[in-house]
């Protein structure tokens, strides 16, 4: 994984002045830049021409300036902008953010601004000078500002644009709310001149009594010492980095392995030049063997659910530790040991909490239907997102699956982009499983069998299937007679299934048009009957935990802009189908 850093540099086309900070929450010297920021809504995208980034004030009596960050709109950071003003509910376009912050000493330290997530494109100026750009709403970026900072007041301006794009990832159409803005934390991080820019620590593949990994320093001009300690394992060792700032880690250890039932995490400390970076890391192995997924060598069934990064009750994107707790407690309440963070990397805070709670994770980049695979830029953008996701989350023991796509259809360009992404994922991290979600298995009436003809399914480690039997497609025969001939000799996960129901609505259990809890419950019961006959089924994740907002759900009575496939309503009420899944998970080992 040492390669990540190098390849990052080559491919960081979408990031000007990219620097690297891993684990922003573990750095000793960190200042939050969250809070109220000044903002300007720039509907016609004129702000760059008008040089908003200069944040100018009239300098003489004869001068006027047609904008001002002062005394205008104030927006919360982190948070999406759509949920902060009624007139921004459907807004897609430019919003400018501005704030001041103070630097009170001028010791020669390195400083970085860390953006945990800005949807979708960001351009950043510090004291009037452009310092970086980033594309991609669900992964972080970091900009070194050491040489641009002034002692005293500093002026930070960010232009955010959340317009959907033909060549975006995701692209023009997707089934969730396009929340824009600075949706995650912003931090100012201070480091010494040579600092820990990357590290990896995990159980060695095939040898769990060995801890394996590396440290990578940035800015190291000579060989250096990095102290690594894991007090509970009585590990305290000095690693000597080479001239490129790299040192491999290979230590004998007998950690208690991380499992969903006992999600043991160890406090880990790295000290470089008196600077401490701390983390909480769990150790485990994950692999497949034939039809099985083996966690620490033992076959497991993934009892899961999907969810979006949304708090439905607040009509906004989830962003805080408390939000993560709300979502994950509901995941646990269903009896899950696993979840799919749907279609994009969610907040790092949520993934960390999931590790503490024993929830295994399928994490995906936002390649969601309708991607312009024929455009060569797509591969570059997707690679960048994949690298950013793996760079950020590779030390989380609970992440067991990297997924590269959801519901894409075979074509020469799609096959070539996605098979490249599969091999890149294996190359960046050969310890986890690579998956994709497929909605293209086809039913053969004469044999009652679903088959999948797709080259991509042959190169992934785990095949996910999204099939909404009873909703988008009627059950073609009685569920106990359906045969799934998909993913031969590989684990199959039912990564999506379900149907819509309005909480509290009762009606015919055999009529989709009733939008009733009874009909949704019947869909779940039938799916469960079908699951019992799938020999390589190793996991299920209903679509979806909560009803979620979507501009493509128009029915005026039953949807009103909500996808109603939740097992739980937008108000937090559990539907009948919730109890069906709960029972299924209670009865499965
Ligand atoms: C799917 C998609 C998911 C949608 C869901 C639906 O196949 O993967 O993003 O929200 O179906 O409700 O149609």
């Amino acid at each position: 994984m040492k390669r990540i850093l190098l390849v990052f540099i080559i491919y960081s086309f979408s990031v000007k002045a990219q620097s690297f900070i891993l684990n922003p929450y573990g750095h000793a010297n960190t200042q939050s830049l969250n809070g109220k920021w000044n903002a300007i809504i720039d509907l016609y995208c004129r702000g760059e021409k008008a040089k908003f980034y200069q944040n100018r004030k009239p300098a003489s009596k004869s001068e006027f300036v047609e904008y001002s960050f002062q005394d205008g709109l104030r927006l919360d950071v982190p948070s999406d902008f759509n949920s902060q003003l009624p007139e921004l509910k459907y807004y897609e376009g430019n919003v400018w953010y501005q704030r001041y912050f103070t630097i009170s000493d001028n010791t020669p330290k390195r400083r970085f601004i860390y953006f945990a997530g800005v949807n979708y494109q960001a351009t950043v100026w510090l004291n009037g000078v452009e310092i970086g750009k980033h594309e991609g709403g669900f992964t972080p970026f970091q900009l070194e500002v050491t040489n641009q900072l002034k002692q005293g007041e500093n002026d930070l301006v960010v232009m955010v644009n959340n317009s959907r794009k033909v060549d975006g990832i995701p692209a023009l159409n997707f089934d969730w709310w396009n929340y824009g803005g600075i949706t995650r934390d912003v931090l100012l991080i201070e480091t010494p001149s040579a600092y820990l820019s990357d590290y990896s620590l995990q159980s060695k593949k095939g040898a769990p009594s060995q801890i394996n990994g590396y440290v990578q320093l940035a800015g190291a001009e000579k060989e250096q010492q990095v102290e690594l300690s894991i007090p509970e394992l009585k590990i305290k060792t000095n690693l000597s980095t080479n001239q490129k700032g790299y040192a491999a880690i290979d230590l004998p250890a007998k950690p208690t392995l991380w499992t969903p039932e006992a999600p043991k995490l160890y406090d880990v400390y790295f000290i470089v030049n008196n600077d401490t970076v701390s983390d909480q890391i769990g150790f485990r192995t994950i692999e497949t063997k034939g039809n099985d997924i083996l966690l620490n060598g033992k076959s497991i069934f993934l009892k899961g659910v999907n969810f979006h990064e949304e708090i439905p009750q607040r009509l906004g994107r989830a962003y805080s530790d408390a939000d993560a707790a709300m979502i994950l407690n509901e995941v646990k309440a269903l009896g899950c040991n696993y979840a799919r963070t749907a279609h994009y990397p969610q907040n790092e805070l949520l993934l960390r909490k999931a590790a503490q709670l024993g929830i295994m994770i399928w994490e995906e980049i936002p390649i969601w239907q309708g991607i312009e695979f024929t455009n060569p830029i797509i591969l570059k953008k997707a690679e960048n997102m994949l690298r950013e996701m793996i760079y950020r989350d590779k030390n989380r023991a609970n992440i067991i699956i990297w997924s590269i796509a959801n519901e894409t259809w075979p074509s020469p360009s799609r096959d070539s982009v996605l098979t490249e992404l599969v091999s890149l994922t294996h190359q960046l991290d050969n310890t986890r499983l690579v998956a994709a979600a497929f909605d293209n298995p086809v039913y053969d009436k004469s044999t009652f069998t679903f088959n999948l003809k797709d080259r991509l399914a042959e190169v992934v480690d785990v095949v996910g299937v999204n099939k909404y039997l009873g909703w988008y497609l009627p059950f073609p025969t009685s569920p106990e007679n359906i045969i799934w001939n998909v993913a031969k000799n590989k684990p199959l996960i039912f990564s999506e299934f379900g149907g819509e129901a309005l909480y509290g609505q009762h009606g015919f259990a055999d009529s989709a048009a009733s939008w009733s809890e009874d009909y949704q419950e019947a869909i779940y019961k039938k799916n469960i009957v079908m699951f019992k006959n799938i020999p390589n089924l190793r996991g299920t994740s209903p679509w979806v935990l909560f009803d979620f907002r979507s501009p493509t759900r128009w029915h005026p009575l039953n949807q009103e802009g909500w996808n109603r496939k939740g097992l739980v309503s937008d108000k937090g009420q559990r539907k009948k189908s919730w109890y069906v899944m709960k029972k299924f998970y209670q009865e499965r080992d």
Side-chain angles (χ1 to χ4, degrees):
M1 264 197 260
K2 178 187 160 200
R3 241 171 294 153
I4 290 179
L5 203 71
L6 299 174
V7 198
F8 237 112
I9 292 162
I10 299 166
Y11 279 95
S12 58
F13 71 96
S14 66
V15 183
K16 212 172 121 192
Q18 172 79 66
S19 312
F20 303 95
I21 294 283
L22 185 66
N23 178 15
Y25 302 102
H27 279 256
N29 297 311
T30 297
Q31 180 188 329
S32 168
L33 295 180
N34 292 345
K36 292 271 183 206
W37 288 47
N38 301 319
I40 299 175
I41 301 167
D42 179 18
L43 186 65
Y44 286 4
C45 297
R46 301 280 296 171
E48 262 189 295
K49 191 135 194 283
K51 302 193 176 140
F52 285 3
Y53 49 84
Q54 289 182 343
N55 190 7
R56 231 156 41 85
K57 320 270 178 322
S60 70
K61 277 191 177 171
S62 60
E63 216 193 345
F64 63 90
V65 179
E66 282 195 275
Y67 68 88
S68 171
F69 281 108
Q70 231 172 332
D71 305 324
L73 179 63
R74 308 262 286 156
L75 289 175
D76 286 325
V77 171
S79 180
D80 64 276
F81 53 64
N82 306 85
S83 65
Q84 295 191 52
L85 270 187
E87 55 269 45
L88 289 180
K89 178 174 173 185
Y90 292 106
Y91 189 76
E92 294 184 314
N94 268 5
V95 173
W96 291 72
Y97 287 75
Q98 183 274 338
R99 68 160 290 157
Y100 296 106
F101 63 93
T102 306
I103 295 293
S104 50
D105 63 83
N106 62 354
T107 43
K109 292 169 190 142
R110 294 179 77 168
R111 288 191 172 92
F112 301 83
I113 298 182
Y114 187 97
F115 291 90
V118 179
N119 191 32
Y120 172 76
Q121 282 179 287
T123 310
V124 185
W125 290 264
L126 183 64
N127 300 322
V129 176
E130 185 183 317
I131 55 167
K133 281 183 188 293
H134 183 258
E135 176 168 350
F138 301 100
T139 39
F141 61 100
Q142 313 97 50
L143 304 169
E144 177 156 18
V145 291
T146 312
N147 299 327
Q148 285 81 22
L149 282 172
K150 296 190 297 203
Q151 223 190 319
E153 192 173 77
N154 285 271
D155 186 2
L156 181 61
V157 174
V158 185
M159 179 181 81
V160 183
N161 186 294
N162 70 329
S163 304
R164 286 164 295 118
K165 293 166 23 127
V166 180
D167 65 347
I169 302 177
L172 290 178
N173 178 31
F174 41 89
D175 186 23
W176 66 84
W177 208 266
N178 184 20
Y179 293 115
I182 306 181
T183 54
R184 296 183 190 158
D185 291 336
V186 185
L187 301 164
L188 180 66
I189 297 168
E190 208 176 276
T191 73
S193 58
Y195 74 96
L196 187 64
S197 58
D198 193 12
Y199 59 87
S200 158
L201 212 55
Q202 52 188 313
S203 297
K204 188 171 184 168
K205 202 177 175 186
S209 58
Q210 208 69 12
I211 291 180
N212 214 222
Y214 64 85
V215 290
Q216 176 69 57
L217 304 183
E221 278 158 11
K222 52 180 174 33
E223 290 152 24
Q224 283 212 266
Q225 298 290 301
V226 179
E227 185 188 294
L228 162 64
S229 62
I230 311 176
E232 257 191 279
L233 291 176
K234 301 202 165 37
I235 290 177
K236 189 168 183 171
T237 181
N238 274 318
L239 308 163
S240 305
T241 60
N242 65 18
Q243 296 221 315
K244 292 184 176 146
Y246 175 86
I249 302 169
D250 197 10
L251 298 166
K254 286 233 158 35
T256 301
L257 298 180
W258 185 98
T259 63
E261 300 73 34
K264 176 70 192 158
L265 300 176
Y266 289 89
D267 289 328
V268 173
Y269 303 92
F270 299 92
I271 305 178
V272 193
N273 293 328
N274 295 321
D275 184 47
T276 304
V277 177
S278 57
D279 207 341
Q280 285 207 307
I281 295 184
F283 302 97
R284 54 100 191 97
T285 59
I286 189 81
E287 63 203 302
T288 63
K289 193 171 175 200
N291 291 341
D292 285 327
I293 297 176
L294 306 178
L295 176 73
N296 302 323
K298 269 179 47 193
S299 174
I300 45 161
F301 188 83
L302 303 176
K303 304 175 189 181
V305 71
N306 288 279
F307 57 84
H308 273 296
E309 191 170 25
E310 180 177 64
I311 299 295
Q313 298 91 331
R314 203 180 56 220
L315 306 178
R317 179 147 282 163
Y319 57 79
S320 65
D321 212 32
D323 289 347
M326 185 305 250
I327 294 171
L328 296 176
N329 287 339
E330 202 54 44
V331 171
K332 289 295 279 187
L334 187 64
C336 296
N337 59 13
Y338 158 80
R340 174 168 174 240
T341 54
H343 302 309
Y344 40 80
Q346 296 201 15
N347 202 316
E348 182 173 348
L349 296 171
L350 179 136
L351 296 168
R352 287 178 171 272
K353 194 170 284 297
Q356 291 163 0
L357 292 172
I359 302 170
M360 293 177 279
I361 297 284
W362 159 314
E363 194 175 23
E364 188 164 293
I365 54 168
I367 292 201
W368 189 97
Q369 298 180 9
I371 300 287
E372 203 189 23
F373 286 114
T374 47
N375 182 342
I377 198 76
I378 289 297
L379 177 61
K380 300 246 177 288
K381 289 185 184 182
E383 283 179 337
N384 207 50
M385 289 180 189
L386 191 65
R387 285 196 170 88
E388 289 177 339
M389 173 175 81
I390 295 176
Y391 173 72
R392 187 190 72 170
D393 292 335
K394 60 184 172 289
N395 288 311
R396 306 283 73 83
N398 57 324
I399 295 175
I400 55 166
I401 294 172
W402 302 124
S403 166
I404 49 124
N406 179 69
E407 301 184 353
T408 57
W409 301 298
S411 76
S413 57
R414 172 276 207 177
D415 292 357
S416 125
V417 169
L418 294 187
T419 47
E420 283 230 16
L421 291 182
V422 171
S423 38
L424 178 63
T425 314
H426 278 137
Q427 180 193 328
L428 294 173
D429 179 6
N430 68 2
T431 69
R432 288 178 174 82
L433 313 178
V434 182
F438 299 82
D439 67 340
N440 51 335
V442 173
Y443 186 67
D444 173 1
K445 278 204 292 234
S446 59
T447 58
F448 305 123
T449 305
F450 277 99
N451 297 298
L452 175 62
K453 279 210 184 82
D454 193 325
R455 269 184 56 206
L456 182 62
E458 289 160 27
V459 294
V460 291
D461 303 316
V462 174
V463 174
V465 158
N466 299 353
K467 267 287 173 219
Y468 289 82
L469 296 179
W471 191 250
Y472 294 125
L473 194 79
F475 273 90
T477 179
S478 41
E480 60 276 17
N481 293 332
I482 299 175
I483 298 168
W484 279 86
N485 176 34
V486 170
K488 272 245 164 310
N489 292 321
K490 277 186 190 178
L492 176 75
I493 295 178
F494 246 78
S495 36
E496 290 181 27
F497 59 102
E500 302 212 12
L502 189 62
Y503 172 77
Q505 185 143 299
H506 294 286
F508 293 114
D510 59 355
S511 161
S514 71
W515 298 81
S516 65
E517 284 193 50
D518 310 274
Y519 185 72
Q520 191 193 39
E521 179 189 37
I523 293 180
Y524 274 91
K525 285 188 170 160
K526 285 187 189 168
N527 268 293
I528 287 172
V529 170
M530 182 179 75
F531 293 158
K532 295 194 171 137
N533 284 336
I534 308 179
N536 59 339
L537 186 72
R538 290 299 176 272
T540 54
S541 48
W543 188 263
V544 56
L545 183 56
F546 296 107
D547 287 353
F548 63 92
R549 295 171 85 206
S550 168
T552 64
R553 303 293 167 178
W554 309 276
H555 194 280
L557 300 179
N558 298 313
Q559 293 179 307
E560 295 179 288
W562 289 86
N563 182 317
R564 295 287 182 201
K565 294 192 187 70
L567 300 174
V568 181
S569 79
D570 53 304
K571 303 279 189 309
Q573 298 125 325
R574 292 170 181 165
K575 303 180 195 173
K576 288 173 96 177
S577 51
W578 185 91
Y579 295 92
V580 176
M581 278 315 291
K582 171 87 183 175
K583 183 160 176 284
F584 176 57
Y585 287 156
Q586 260 165 350
E587 289 169 359
R588 270 229 62 130
D589 1 291

